[in-house]
Amino acid sequence: MDKPEQNRKLTLRVALLQLASEGSAEKNAEKAVNACRSAKEQGADIALLPEMYSMGYDLYARPEEDWLAEAVSKDSPYVKALSDAARELGMAVGATLLEAYDPTPRNTLLLFDRHGREVLSYSKVHTCDFGPERRLTPGNAFPVCALDTAAGSVNVGAMICYDREFPESAWILMLHGAELILVPNACPMEQNRLAQLRGRAYENMTAIATCNYPDGEPKRAPDCNGHSTLFDGVAYFEGFPGSRDTCVLEADGGEGIFVGALDLSMLRTYRAKENQADTFRRPALYRKLAEEHEISPEFRRPGRRG
């Protein structure tokens, strides 16, 4: 007889597909599907691609109208190939794309469950308006879904690259119930950004899986360097003296498929006992965070607000 779910160890195997772009949506779809098959052979329950993999985040050193024209729709062959792969393999897939949208494209993650069904659609809220992404339509919400996996149901949300720079992104996902945050990425993951992810996981008691592009991508700007990561968010636990390392996996700089095991049972037990995240918040004192206000001009340049 099966143990009750609360007593059964639930381990979610997360595959970070740290892949270089092949230059077109068609070729990238083929490469991504093959990587998903390899991830499944390694026991993965969910696979995640780097940011805007449909066109390889190739926004720099060419006319904006050229890359804007490479946006693909949700019913495109690229998206269909990845949803079909999820159903065929019985594995969730986080597909990333430059999504065709009116009035301008969006930077989007679509999460397909192991039955090939779209269960989450997230568009980057904090677009990089200091660069080419100023042409994109930003997202306007941080949704969370219950993802059905072979390891059990897990509550999943998403941030995309620059969203990570804002504590509010992970914070609101935690408040919406996220246990795992997926983070497609396209920038150098140096020590401070890695520390940022570690901090977001720690303060919200939330697992965070980030997938970046590998080294050696001359079209990518700023240069990517791999170092995709999985943090489990569990800083203190019975049997560990003091603080434990929340980093489950950190990839090297090369192209590859990196699979880490997330112990959901440990995370849930930790969240039930510890005091980070929501336990002692005082929301009445934080209202200023949601208000428009002026700060020193040395601190910010004009940008989209609201």
Side-chain angles (χ1 to χ4, degrees), residues 23 46 52 54 68 78 93 122 136 140 155 175 195 208 216 221 236 240 245 248 250 294 297 301:
I46 181 170
M52 282 201 310
S54 65
L68 287 168
Y78 170 84
V93 175
Y122 171 71
L136 301 183
N140 57 12
N155 294 332
L175 292 176
I208 299 182
Y236 309 103
F240 290 91
D245 189 354
V248 174
E250 180 179 345
E294 294 299 324
R301 291 169 285 177

Side-chain angles (χ1 to χ4, degrees), residues 10-273:
L10 302 179
T11 301
L12 186 74
R13 293 185 61 80
V14 181
L16 307 175
L17 309 183
Q18 190 168 284
L19 305 177
S21 171
E22 296 302 314
S24 72
E26 181 181 9
K27 291 179 180 178
N28 285 347
E30 180 180 3
K31 185 170 187 175
V33 168
N34 288 335
C36 285
R37 291 198 176 103
S38 178
K40 181 63 177 182
E41 289 171 359
Q42 297 178 54
D45 297 295
I46 181 170
L48 177 64
L49 285 159
E51 183 177 7
M52 282 201 310
Y53 192 68
S54 65
M55 48 84 74
Y57 202 80
D58 184 9
L59 310 185
Y60 295 83
R62 61 184 184 134
E64 288 182 338
E65 297 310 315
D66 287 358
W67 63 260
L68 287 168
E70 294 177 8
V72 298
S73 66
K74 286 188 175 184
D75 60 359
S76 65
Y78 170 84
V79 172
K80 186 175 186 303
L82 290 166
S83 63
D84 286 350
R87 183 176 61 254
E88 171 198 334
L89 298 170
M91 177 184 73
V93 175
T96 59
L97 60 149
L98 177 63
E99 180 197 355
Y101 190 79
D102 185 38
T104 59
R106 300 193 296 192
N107 184 341
T108 296
L109 165 74
L110 299 177
L111 180 61
F112 298 103
D113 70 10
R114 58 180 172 151
H115 309 291
R117 299 175 301 207
E118 179 189 311
V119 293
L120 182 72
S121 177
Y122 171 71
S123 293
K124 189 174 186 177
V125 167
H126 301 99
T127 49
C128 298
D129 292 350
F130 47 81
E133 280 192 29
R134 65 185 177 277
R135 293 293 304 274
L136 301 183
T137 298
N140 57 12
F142 288 98
V144 172
C145 73
L147 177 66
D148 171 44
T149 77
S153 180
V154 57
N155 294 332
V156 179
M159 307 185 291
I160 297 178
C161 201
Y162 193 49
D163 286 325
R164 177 199 62 246
E165 306 279 346
F166 299 86
E168 296 86 353
S169 303
W171 192 7
I172 195 67
L173 287 167
M174 175 273 295
L175 292 176
H176 287 166
E179 298 173 291
L180 171 63
I181 300 175
L182 303 178
V183 189
N185 200 78
C187 72
M189 293 309 296
E190 41 72 48
Q191 62 181 351
N192 293 307
R193 289 190 176 108
L194 292 172
Q196 202 171 51
L197 290 168
R198 184 186 293 275
R200 300 288 173 264
Y202 168 72
E203 64 204 12
N204 293 294
M205 297 193 294
T206 303
I208 299 182
T210 303
C211 187
N212 197 26
Y213 286 94
D215 282 334
E217 289 281 273
K219 291 183 180 179
R220 208 91 43 239
D223 296 333
C224 296
N225 67 334
H227 292 272
S228 300
T229 51
L230 175 62
F231 292 92
D232 66 14
V234 180
Y236 309 103
F237 207 77
E238 185 177 351
F240 290 91
S243 179
R244 65 181 285 278
D245 189 354
T246 62
C247 185
V248 174
L249 167 69
E250 180 179 345
D252 59 20
E255 185 171 27
I257 297 164
F258 301 89
V259 181
L262 174 61
D263 187 338
L264 286 173
S265 305
M266 181 170 68
L267 176 61
R268 288 169 179 171
T269 300
Y270 177 69
R271 287 167 70 121
K273 292 181 177 180

